[in-house]
Amino acid sequence: MRTILTPIIAACCLASGCAGGYKQLQASSGEYSLIELDDQAAAVNFSVKLNLTHDYSSEDWPAAAYAGVYAGSNANAGVQFFITRARVNAGQLVAGYRIMQRGEQVKRAYVASLTAGQEARVDISFVNGQVTISLQGVLPVIIETDLKSVSPYVSVSSGAVEYALGG
C-alpha cells in the first residue's frame, strides 16, 4: 500500500514558500482546480487537513474543497470527501462524500456540519476496490467500488483551500 507522507508537502512548500506545511489551491467562481498528490496506485493511504479559506460562491456554484481518489486521468470515476457551504453567505459548512461513475454523481451523503473556518482532517484509504473515509478520526465510511487503481488528489471550486498532508 502506498502511503503519502508529510515530506511530500514539505518539499512542495520549500519550492513554493508556504508556511507551516500548508499549501493553497484556489479557483475563481464557477471554476475548478485540482492537484494530484501522487501517481496512480493499486493501494493508497493518506491523511489531509482541509480549510476552506476563501469563498467565491455564486448561487449556481458554491465554494467547496475536496480530497479523494479517482481512476484514470480525470474524475469520471472515484470517491471524494467534500466540504461546502450549506448555502451562499452561510456561516455553516457541510461535510460529506460523493461517488462518481462514468462522469455522473451516483451518490452524495452528508456526514457532518462544520463552522466556517474550521479545519477538517480526513483520512482516506483505497485497497482492493474499497475506499475508506474518516472525518476527524471518527467512524469511517466504507465504500465498495470496482476501481482497480486510483490517483489521490485535493481540489477546490469557487474558493480557496489550505491543505496539508499528514494527521
Side-chain angles (χ1 to χ4, degrees):
M1 176 180 302
R2 182 176 295 192
T3 301
I4 302 166
L5 299 172
T6 306
I8 294 170
I9 283 294
C12 293
C13 287
L14 287 174
S16 66
C18 64
Y22 282 82
K23 196 161 175 147
Q24 189 172 78
L25 187 64
Q26 62 183 61
S28 301
S29 181
E31 299 293 320
Y32 181 81
S33 184
L34 178 144
I35 185 166
E36 284 189 3
L37 301 174
D38 205 353
D39 296 330
Q40 194 163 351
V44 172
N45 183 31
F46 69 104
S47 295
V48 64
K49 296 174 187 173
L50 299 171
N51 187 2
L52 192 59
T53 58
H54 291 84
D55 184 344
Y56 310 128
S57 292
S58 67
E59 286 293 332
D60 296 328
W61 199 316
Y66 308 90
V69 295
Y70 62 80
S73 60
N74 59 44
N76 284 337
V79 177
Q80 65 183 195
F81 169 82
F82 63 84
I83 301 169
T84 189
R85 292 273 180 210
R87 59 189 179 284
V88 174
N89 298 322
Q92 283 295 112
L93 302 173
V94 292
Y97 67 93
R98 68 183 192 163
I99 302 169
M100 303 295 290
Q101 294 176 352
R102 294 174 298 286
E104 300 289 325
Q105 177 179 285
V106 296
K107 181 175 183 179
R108 181 180 183 110
Y110 298 102
V111 297
S113 292
L114 304 170
T115 56
Q118 182 179 353
E119 182 178 86
R121 190 192 88 236
V122 61
D123 304 309
I124 300 175
S125 67
F126 171 82
V127 65
N128 296 325
Q130 187 177 70
V131 178
T132 303
I133 300 173
S134 177
L135 172 63
Q136 317 289 46
V138 181
L139 296 174
V141 174
I142 299 169
I143 302 154
E144 297 292 334
T145 74
D146 59 359
L147 303 175
K148 304 296 181 212
S149 64
V150 297
S151 296
Y153 68 93
V154 169
S155 62
V156 65
S157 63
S158 298
V161 62
E162 286 184 340
Y163 68 94
L165 292 177

